[in-house]
């Protein structure tokens, strides 16, 4: 990518950022639609897990994103990874429990799961974008 002019690289990086923003916005819209279409706001409980998801890694692993993928002997980093995994599981478990209890319907459950997978796709795209480190070449 060294032979591409700087303004083209800038547009490419802006497009990736725009795509990431659209994914996150789409996940939020699906989350709100799951509640508003059927006038049942219980599925918003799973939005709590989206807010709490990055907290354990921020508190226990620091702001360094590479510690999430590396093997660590630090028990606090491993505890942060465990709490992050548990809160990720909550994003699927809460709608599953609500549908099992008969509080929400199948359409709401489908919207909730699609919102979860859109958020997961956004996180994976963010990790892919931050792994390239192409912003330093501008």
């Amino acid at each position: 990518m060294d032979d591409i002019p700087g303004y083209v690289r800038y547009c490419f990086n802006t497009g990736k950022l725009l795509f990431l923003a659209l994914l996150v916005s789409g996940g939020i819209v699906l989350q709100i639609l799951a509640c508003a279409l059927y006038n049942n706001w219980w599925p918003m409980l799973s939005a709590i897990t989206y807010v709490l998801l990055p907290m354990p890694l921020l508190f226990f692993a620091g702001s360094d994103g590479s510690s999430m993928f590396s093997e660590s002997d630090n028990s606090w980093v491993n505890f942060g990874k465990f709490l992050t995994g548990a809160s990720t599981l909550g994003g699927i478990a809460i709608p599953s429990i609500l549908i099992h209890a008969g509080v929400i319907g199948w359409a709401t459950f489908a919207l909730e799961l699609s919102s979860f997978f859109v958020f997961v796709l956004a996180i994976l795209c963010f990790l892919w974008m931050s792994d390239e480190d192409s912003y330093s070449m501008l």
Side-chain angles (χ1 to χ4, degrees):
M1 237 172 116
D2 293 333
D3 56 342
I4 298 175
Y7 64 89
V8 175
R9 279 186 276 145
Y10 179 75
C11 289
F12 182 65
N13 289 331
T14 304
K16 289 193 299 188
L17 190 62
L18 180 67
F19 177 69
L20 186 64
L22 285 173
L23 278 176
V24 171
S25 300
I28 291 171
V29 166
L30 284 172
Q31 181 76 31
I32 293 173
L33 278 177
C35 300
L37 285 178
Y38 303 101
N39 200 18
N40 186 357
W41 292 91
W42 280 105
M44 266 308 198
L45 286 174
S46 62
I48 296 171
T49 62
Y50 302 145
V51 173
L52 295 178
L53 185 65
M55 296 302 167
L57 281 177
L58 289 176
F59 293 145
F60 296 117
S63 62
D64 185 21
S66 64
S67 63
M68 185 170 67
F69 299 115
S70 64
E71 188 68 32
S72 174
D73 291 334
N74 189 352
S75 60
W76 288 110
V77 172
N78 290 334
F79 183 64
K81 290 177 186 178
F82 173 76
L83 286 179
T84 302
S87 60
T88 303
L89 183 65
I92 296 176
I94 290 174
S96 300
I97 291 169
L98 289 175
I99 196 164
H100 179 71
V103 176
I104 64 173
W106 283 102
T108 305
F109 181 71
L111 283 171
E112 281 288 315
L113 284 184
S114 62
S115 170
F116 175 78
F117 288 119
V118 166
F119 276 125
V120 167
L121 182 65
I123 290 170
L124 291 175
C125 286
F126 172 74
L127 292 174
W128 170 70
M129 283 173 49
S130 64
D131 193 32
E132 282 185 353
D133 197 33
S134 60
Y135 288 106
S136 63
M137 297 187 315
L138 291 178

